Every structure is written in structure tokens, then in C-alpha cells.
Amino acid sequence: MRLLKFLVVGAAVAYGINYVTKKGPDGKSIIDDLAENGPEWFDRVKKYGELTLEQIAARTQDFRDKNKL
């Protein structure tokens, strides 16, 4: 049973690698898109994280101000 499980997982991994590296109609693969757009996406996520932290800090400060004893 373990051998069958390893065969199925191996086939799924091989198919996934083939799918991700397959060139599309525009001549680019998913990996190529990630390599090109990765830094831009990272910057967007970083800005979103900073904005979220600012909002959490503001809400925390409001909560502390309201509940001072």
C-alpha cells in the first residue's frame, strides 16, 4: 500500500512540475511569470502588511485608551 501511495504522489508531483514549466501560448511558463512579477508582488504584500500593522496598532491604542482604569 505504501508503494502505491508513493507512486501516486510521485506522479502528482511530476504532473505539477510539468504543468508549471509548460510554455503557454505566449511562450512563457508560470515559473517565468513568477520570476518576472515576483518582486512587484512582494512589494505589494509588504505594503499591505505595513498598512495592516498600522491599523492594528491604532485599534489597540483606542482599546487601551477606552479601558484605562
Side-chain angles (χ1 to χ4, degrees):
M1 203 56 161
R2 279 184 136 181
L3 180 61
L4 181 62
K5 182 173 116 177
F6 286 131
L7 287 173
V8 170
V9 170
V13 168
Y15 178 76
I17 291 172
N18 184 32
Y19 180 77
V20 169
T21 57
K22 184 178 177 183
K23 301 291 182 181
D26 60 350
K28 294 167 117 182
S29 68
I30 294 174
I31 296 292
D32 295 335
D33 289 339
L34 288 174
E36 284 180 12
N37 299 330
E40 178 185 333
W41 293 340
F42 180 75
D43 290 339
R44 285 184 189 176
V45 169
K46 189 175 177 181
K47 288 178 186 176
Y48 179 74
E50 290 172 355
L51 178 64
T52 303
L53 286 176
E54 289 175 6
Q55 291 174 350
I56 290 171
R59 288 182 182 176
T60 304
Q61 189 61 40
D62 290 342
F63 179 77
R64 287 181 182 164
D65 291 343
K66 289 179 183 178
N67 294 320
K68 277 189 176 179
L69 296 177

